[in-house]
Amino acid sequence: MTAPDLHALSAGPCWCEDGFTRQLGAGFHVDLPAQPLPEPHWVARSAALAAELGWSDWLASDDALALLSGHGDAGLLATVYSGHQFGSWAGQLGDGRALLVGEAETALGRREVQLKGSGLTPYSRMGDGRAVLRSSIREFLCSEAMHALGIPTTRALAIVGSALPVRRESVETAAVVTRVAPSFLRFGHFEHFAHTAADPAALRRLADATIERYFPEHRGSAAPYAGLLETVTRRTARLMAQWQAVGFCHGVMNTDNISMLGLTIDYGPFGFLDAFDPGHICNHSDHSGRYAFARQPQIGFWNLHALAQALLPLIDDQDAALAALEPYKTEFPDAFLAAMRAKLGLASARDEDRDLVDDLLRRMAADRADFSITWRRLAAFDSAAGAANTALRDLFIEREAFDAWALRYAERLRVEASVDAERAPRMNRVNPKYVLRNHLAETAIERARAGDFTEVQRLQRVLERPFDEQPEHDADAAFPPAWAQQLEVSCSS
Ligand code: AMP
Ligand code: MG
């Protein structure tokens, strides 16, 4: 198998001959040409990611624009996977519109580079292989915003746009997002070889290569596949804790959208909470609320059971497979409580903290307090003032219930001799001021559709520093406007 010959990019990516996905061989992927976007133009680029990869100069070049819009002369790859969608087995899926350019040696280590929206593949099913500008902007902004929040995620290097029409509910225009990650492996890749292809030898090859490359701690162990499952379990649990702590709702937690590496992947109808509603459903197409905000940790566990089922032919012992999932039950609550303690600015751990957290979340839910604003205002909590913290108190309707909580919090701070002036900056490093609220993305999208990409780029820069005050961008951290409640985001992308 020959590697992509991307020689012309002198200062650009250095492609590996023996990339992980290509090495898996036939059966795992197909070679394909991209279907280039006609007359591509830049919409946005992540200077931060380019610098981290060592590709800053290259990303300014015409070569980069050509490659990232599918005009390169290299062979690309689409991988096959399957999965459970909305709780039901969906059979074969696959990269229906994402093509792997290859794996590059970068300043961050080896990274796979994928073009999303680059044309039809054998796995496109009824789709057109394209992505619209609207969803590409959302994926680009959120990938980089999540990274800045310290949450594991696939990254986004650039968006290229084109006038090419794409039909969704209405006619929109096409775009391609370049995604970068150590691997785009999903639970669904394993489910595919376990169930659809029902090929134990291929399943073993995939699992062995995955362990060899991404989970070397299980290399040569007596129970490598159960070990792999346990590590993925722990990573998924920690990722769920991070999503819950920041108010991120993924929207389509199907097993084909869940990363083996514990990364946030496949940004579709995601949303950050505005008013806190645990039952919030960010995906307009999720009629039953399967992927409602508060259900995400449970769904993470459900998905791990699907992965366990897929790995069972290799683990060969149902009890061992179930035992590998067991750590989820402690890893998630422990990680969540640790995150919540940090959000409350607590430096020590006490038994009553769980109640303190639960009670605050209950108060926030009952009064639909804005999630990000509440946590951010908490940093300014004056522990001597107790219930008289008006900026915070004003977020709650049931003032007396809030006052009772505030007194408990003040007492808890007193117990660990917390100093307000020291606690506040610590809290501001974990409670973001800026998150990608739907209405912010929407405004940027509207301008971009009219040909003005400056709002996308401005928002991107703001979200790169989510914990910094950036007073000139206060408006982006304010309560959402009334029209934001009417925004509906569906799977259509
Ligand atoms: P999603 O739920 O967006 O992750 O998509 C589920 C499956 O449908 C994946 O295999 C995608 O590659 C595929 N898919 C989604 N949109 C398109 C499209 N416009 N063209 C081709 N395939 C698509
Ligand atoms: Mg997907």
Side-chain angles (χ1 to χ4, degrees):
M1 188 111 343
T2 51
D5 178 17
L6 298 166
H7 46 24
L9 313 167
S10 49
C14 170
W15 301 98
C16 311
E17 294 273 325
D18 57 346
F20 175 86
T21 301
R22 192 165 279 283
Q23 264 199 342
L24 287 173
F28 293 89
H29 55 73
V30 292
D31 286 78
L32 285 173
Q35 288 141 50
L37 274 189
E39 297 180 46
H41 55 257
W42 294 116
V43 173
R45 282 168 273 189
S46 171
L49 177 57
E52 288 173 51
L53 295 166
W55 296 354
S56 297
D57 291 344
W58 174 73
L59 197 60
S61 71
D62 290 343
D63 279 345
L65 181 62
L67 182 80
L68 303 186
S69 56
H71 288 269
D73 54 6
L76 309 180
L77 301 179
T79 71
V80 63
Y81 51 80
S82 294
H84 284 84
Q85 298 187 318
F86 291 91
S88 303
W89 176 244
Q92 182 182 308
L93 304 163
D95 294 322
R97 53 173 167 172
L99 287 173
L100 189 73
V101 183
E103 188 173 316
E105 202 70 71
T106 79
L108 290 173
R110 284 192 172 197
R111 288 292 182 276
E112 289 195 330
V113 177
Q114 207 186 51
L115 307 182
K116 181 169 177 179
S118 49
L120 289 168
T121 80
Y123 315 118
S124 300
R125 299 182 296 159
M126 309 299 283
D128 55 9
R130 292 297 179 193
V132 295
L133 180 64
R134 162 178 55 85
S135 64
S136 303
I137 289 172
R138 285 172 50 87
E139 170 140 18
F140 174 83
L141 287 175
C142 200
S143 307
E144 292 305 282
M146 291 290 266
H147 174 73
L149 288 166
I151 300 176
T153 177
T154 60
R155 303 289 302 271
L157 183 62
I159 314 172
V160 289
S162 160
L164 183 73
V166 176
R167 182 170 293 280
R168 295 292 179 261
E169 279 87 0
S170 60
V171 176
E172 303 184 42
T173 61
V176 169
V177 180
T178 299
R179 304 199 287 196
V180 178
S183 165
F184 295 95
L185 275 174
R186 299 140 193 276
F187 287 12
H189 281 108
F190 289 81
E191 291 180 281
H192 182 77
F193 292 100
H195 310 313
T196 312
D199 181 346
L203 179 65
R204 187 176 299 271
R205 211 157 70 242
L206 176 62
D208 287 344
T210 301
I211 289 169
E212 179 64 26
R213 174 65 187 280
Y214 299 107
F215 298 86
E217 65 273 31
H218 298 301
R219 249 183 228 156
S221 99
Y225 309 114
L228 169 67
L229 181 59
E230 182 178 333
T231 301
V232 177
T233 295
R234 290 185 188 279
R235 286 198 197 177
T236 306
R238 290 197 294 269
L239 181 68
M240 292 306 108
Q242 286 187 283
W243 285 4
Q244 298 311 108
V246 81
F248 174 77
C249 198
H250 180 281
V252 204
M253 290 179 65
N254 295 334
T255 56
D256 56 303
N257 290 337
I258 304 297
S259 155
M260 281 296 285
L261 302 193
L263 309 173
T264 312
I265 190 171
D266 278 14
Y267 292 89
F270 68 84
F272 283 87
L273 298 177
D274 292 322
F276 182 42
D277 172 9
H280 179 68
I281 303 164
C282 64
N283 178 356
H284 188 60
S285 318
D286 180 8
H287 305 293
S288 71
R290 179 179 172 85
Y291 300 136
F293 177 71
R295 298 190 66 181
Q296 295 188 125
Q298 203 55 43
I299 293 291
F301 197 40
W302 192 97
N303 288 338
L304 284 159
H305 279 81
L307 179 63
Q309 192 70 42
L311 291 173
L312 202 52
L314 304 179
I315 297 174
D316 205 23
D317 173 350
Q318 182 147 338
D319 291 340
L322 286 174
L325 299 177
E326 210 43 30
Y328 196 89
K329 296 178 186 167
T330 46
E331 191 88 33
F332 170 75
D334 289 354
F336 182 68
L337 187 55
M340 286 290 143
R341 279 201 182 98
K343 287 173 81 72
L344 286 169
L346 301 177
S348 60
R350 297 181 65 86
D351 288 345
E352 68 263 31
D353 295 347
R354 228 220 116 90
D355 273 353
L356 191 68
V357 169
D358 285 349
D359 198 26
L360 176 60
L361 291 174
R362 254 195 311 275
R363 298 263 52 80
M364 289 167 65
D367 294 345
R368 293 288 189 266
D370 185 275
F371 191 83
S372 300
I373 292 176
T374 303
W375 286 107
R376 187 76 181 182
R377 283 196 190 171
L378 202 61
F381 189 85
D382 177 349
S383 52
N389 278 277
T390 46
L392 182 62
R393 190 173 189 258
D394 285 350
L395 298 172
F396 294 85
I397 300 164
E398 294 178 56
R399 297 284 159 86
E400 282 174 18
F402 169 77
D403 293 348
W405 182 85
L407 290 175
R408 278 171 67 199
Y409 180 46
E411 173 58 19
R412 175 65 182 83
L413 294 174
R414 197 191 57 74
V415 165
E416 68 176 39
S418 189
V419 177
D420 288 357
E422 288 168 8
R423 188 181 65 250
R426 206 165 65 225
M427 291 171 75
N428 283 337
R429 285 196 292 274
V430 291
N431 294 314
K433 178 170 176 179
Y434 299 98
V435 295
L436 182 57
R437 294 176 188 262
N438 264 342
H439 76 276
L440 299 175
E442 194 62 24
T443 301
I445 288 165
E446 283 309 313
R447 298 237 185 113
R449 281 173 148 169
D452 172 8
F453 307 127
T454 55
E455 179 59 12
V456 176
Q457 295 156 4
R458 185 197 67 83
L459 197 50
Q460 177 204 348
R461 281 192 300 275
V462 174
L463 295 170
E464 272 173 4
R465 297 160 51 212
F467 303 109
D468 292 357
E469 277 300 320
Q470 308 187 64
E472 66 279 26
H473 298 295
D474 271 349
D476 298 318
F479 293 101
W483 59 265
Q485 280 185 14
Q486 263 66 59
L487 283 175
E488 284 173 354
V489 187
S490 71
C491 278
S492 153
S493 59

